[in-house]
Amino acid sequence: MNTTEKTTITIEATINAPVEKVWNFWTSPEHIIRWNSASEDWHTPKAENDLRVGGSFSSRMEARDGSFGFDFGGVYDEVKTNELIAYTLGDDRKVKIQFTNNGDTTTVTESFDAESENPIEMQKSGWQAILNSFKTYTETNA
């Protein structure tokens, strides 16, 4: 019997902002296009978000030099405003994002099923870099 065991990766950041602002910046396309990149040589020129159970989201991530790009998207399984977002990616991997309200700060914890093409540590560092970009953007913008 051949079974495939899924690996779940978890990353986290504490943002110096109240949960309402963090939620808004995380879910609004006009903000997503500003923070959704792992490094300065990447960007997100387009983002769409229908934030409801059964709704879908998508973003286009591209290298700034035009050498590579890909679409990232999925369908929402669970949405609890200012608390939780869970979704299924196009390749059936699951993602869960928890927003923990700490008063003046918010902890964002992301857990996601690893994919099989890239090493676990590479996936973890890439997703963490995007989360760190979100933290910086949220803390430095009104």
Side-chain angles (χ1 to χ4, degrees), residues 41-54:
D41 53 342
W42 280 80
H43 69 138
T44 299
K46 182 179 127 182
E48 297 175 358
N49 195 16
D50 181 10
L51 186 63
R52 62 181 174 82
V53 173

Side-chain angles (χ1 to χ4, degrees), residues 1-2 5 8 16 53 76 93 113 131 134-135 137:
M1 184 166 147
N2 187 7
E5 190 174 316
T8 301
N16 295 312
V53 173
Y76 291 110
R93 292 184 297 135
D113 292 341
L131 182 55
F134 171 76
K135 173 182 169 63
Y137 174 79

Side-chain angles (χ1 to χ4, degrees), residues 31-93:
H31 292 296
I32 295 168
I33 61 172
R34 301 197 188 297
W35 60 259
N36 191 32
S37 63
S39 63
E40 289 295 320
D41 53 342
W42 280 80
H43 69 138
T44 299
K46 182 179 127 182
E48 297 175 358
N49 195 16
D50 181 10
L51 186 63
R52 62 181 174 82
V53 173
S56 63
F57 69 92
S58 67
S59 58
R60 176 74 186 166
M61 299 178 83
E62 295 179 354
R64 289 193 185 271
D65 67 5
S67 63
F68 187 74
F70 62 93
D71 295 313
F72 182 84
V75 176
Y76 291 110
D77 301 316
E78 191 174 359
V79 176
K80 292 181 183 174
T81 303
N82 296 336
E83 292 179 28
L84 174 74
I85 297 172
Y87 58 84
T88 302
L89 294 169
D91 62 5
D92 289 329
R93 292 184 297 135

Side-chain angles (χ1 to χ4, degrees), residues 7 11 27 32 38 57 76 80 88 107 110 115 123 125 134:
T7 299
I11 59 169
T27 60
I32 295 168
F57 69 92
Y76 291 110
K80 292 181 183 174
T88 302
T107 302
E110 279 188 272
E115 42 93 349
Q123 294 175 63
S125 66
F134 171 76

Side-chain angles (χ1 to χ4, degrees), residues 16-37:
N16 295 312
V19 70
E20 295 82 7
K21 178 182 179 182
V22 170
W23 181 268
N24 179 45
F25 278 35
W26 188 271
T27 60
S28 300
E30 65 268 24
H31 292 296
I32 295 168
I33 61 172
R34 301 197 188 297
W35 60 259
N36 191 32
S37 63

Side-chain angles (χ1 to χ4, degrees), residues 71-136:
D71 295 313
F72 182 84
V75 176
Y76 291 110
D77 301 316
E78 191 174 359
V79 176
K80 292 181 183 174
T81 303
N82 296 336
E83 292 179 28
L84 174 74
I85 297 172
Y87 58 84
T88 302
L89 294 169
D91 62 5
D92 289 329
R93 292 184 297 135
K94 301 285 187 183
V95 179
K96 182 184 282 189
I97 306 148
Q98 294 176 292
F99 300 81
T100 304
N101 181 352
N102 307 314
D104 290 341
T105 67
T106 304
T107 302
V108 177
T109 306
E110 279 188 272
S111 298
F112 60 95
D113 292 341
E115 42 93 349
S116 57
E117 291 181 25
N118 296 295
I120 299 295
E121 201 49 49
M122 176 189 266
Q123 294 175 63
K124 184 174 184 175
S125 66
W127 283 58
Q128 184 69 55
I130 294 170
L131 182 55
N132 293 345
S133 175
F134 171 76
K135 173 182 169 63
T136 300

